[in-house]
Amino acid sequence: MNVSSTRCLVLKTADHGESDKIVTLFSENLGKVTGIAKGAKRSKKRFVNKLEPFSRILVSYKPSRTSTLLFIAEAELEHAFLSLRQSYQKYAGAMYLCELILRFTKEKDPECGLFSLLTWALHALDEGDRPLKIAALFHIRLLDIAGYRPELECCSQCCKPISPKNTYTMQPGIGALLCNQCRSGNTMLTRQLSVQTLKFLEKAQGVSLGHLSRLQLPDKAARETLYTLHGYSCSLLQQDIHSWKNLMATLK
Ligand SMILES: [Zn+2]
């Protein structure tokens, strides 16, 4: 069977048996894929320091005849993003990005926009941009690509455009805003979004990736965003996002 190659970001790795590794990758042209690297724990030459979380690697692989698993023949390291494994704050941020990708994507469903977004975010974290800001910007853009773009222009009930006189909450299952008048009586919706935060997020939805890092998202706005999008995402996924607690713990 022919060997093919694809550029990937490593989402997670796990030991398998005595000498193998199972690696979940996000590939530029295949989407999310799982591969087995036979003998990876023994091979110093083919795999050492390459199959680590967040690394960008060029993978040579053979598809399996019987399953969706790829047989990874070799990996070439392109970018290690080493600092993401050396600082706990950066690590918690990068883990959150990878878990969002793991949960919002299906196997072998290519999405080059998502590959570019994850590449952008890992670079930004590696270069020292604030994990809170990068996680918030990544999350809003990921929802867009995944088809769950939140509606941020007006209240979904009274349809009035957002105004500094109001505060807003997002209805978790819908991704639509409610102003504080329309929300009255609903004690379930407690996470507030200020108009300033909503304006930042509208901008973040519209600019190119090249301009996203230049957005000055203050910590307060990043925090409001993350709490709101986390609630929205958990209700979409119907499951927890485990790395959320670690990300939030780094804020204390
Ligand atoms: Zn309203």
Side-chain angles (χ1 to χ4, degrees):
M1 202 176 288
N2 287 341
V3 175
S4 308
S5 67
T6 180
R7 177 164 289 119
C8 302
L9 295 158
V10 179
L11 298 176
K12 66 172 185 178
T13 69
D15 290 343
H16 182 70
E18 297 239 319
S19 59
D20 305 340
K21 268 191 171 187
I22 298 278
V23 193
T24 309
L25 305 161
F26 197 73
S27 148
E28 193 169 28
N29 55 342
L30 301 173
K32 182 174 70 182
V33 285
T34 306
I36 183 162
K38 289 273 187 192
K41 284 160 71 182
R42 280 197 300 251
S43 158
K44 296 285 177 246
K45 186 164 160 268
R46 285 182 305 149
F47 297 118
V48 73
N49 295 337
K50 295 171 186 170
L51 303 178
E52 300 295 331
F54 324 128
S55 292
R56 194 179 74 221
I57 53 179
L58 194 63
V59 165
S60 304
Y61 69 93
K62 289 179 192 175
S64 160
R65 283 195 185 88
T66 52
S67 74
T68 56
L69 205 65
L70 308 181
F71 287 105
I72 302 176
E74 211 166 331
E76 191 182 313
L77 185 66
E78 289 192 336
H79 203 310
F81 295 111
L82 204 57
S83 77
L84 306 187
R85 301 196 296 276
Q86 293 171 335
S87 138
Y88 186 66
Q89 261 206 330
K90 289 184 182 189
Y91 181 80
M95 285 297 283
Y96 186 68
L97 312 179
C98 288
E99 188 176 352
L100 287 178
I101 297 255
L102 284 166
R103 298 208 180 264
F104 272 98
T105 57
K106 295 194 284 268
E107 288 259 332
K108 293 197 173 172
D109 186 12
E111 179 49 77
C112 66
L114 216 44
F115 184 85
S116 304
L117 180 65
L118 184 57
T119 303
W120 164 81
L122 294 175
H123 270 289
L125 285 178
D126 194 39
E127 283 160 14
D129 219 334
R130 298 185 337 276
L132 203 57
K133 167 189 159 186
I134 298 305
L137 294 175
F138 177 87
H139 203 154
I140 190 93
R141 294 290 285 245
L142 171 131
L143 287 169
D144 207 341
I145 296 170
Y148 300 107
R149 182 187 174 107
E151 290 297 331
L152 306 175
E153 293 81 18
C154 59
C155 170
S156 60
Q157 203 148 311
C158 65
C159 299
K160 288 182 189 154
I162 57 167
S163 142
K165 291 176 198 150
N166 253 324
T167 55
Y168 296 85
T169 52
M170 189 174 286
Q171 302 175 82
I174 311 171
L177 297 179
L178 274 184
C179 71
N180 52 4
Q181 273 93 43
C182 294
R183 184 177 69 240
S184 65
N186 189 338
T187 52
M188 299 290 283
L189 301 173
T190 51
R191 290 287 173 194
Q192 305 276 322
L193 283 165
S194 68
V195 169
Q196 191 202 23
T197 300
L198 289 168
K199 293 285 180 195
F200 275 121
L201 295 183
E202 270 192 81
K203 243 185 240 167
Q205 285 179 325
V207 298
S208 68
L209 270 188
H211 285 85
L212 203 52
S213 299
R214 292 186 214 160
L215 278 185
Q216 298 301 317
L217 190 72
D219 277 350
K220 179 177 173 283
R223 203 172 288 124
E224 281 182 16
T225 301
L226 282 170
Y227 274 111
T228 298
L229 297 187
H230 172 253
Y232 177 35
S233 297
C234 287
S235 74
L236 287 172
L237 297 164
Q238 293 291 299
Q239 55 187 325
D240 278 345
I241 300 168
H242 300 307
S243 52
W244 165 255
K245 279 187 189 152
N246 291 340
L247 179 68
M248 288 299 115
T250 66
L251 301 179
K252 285 169 192 161

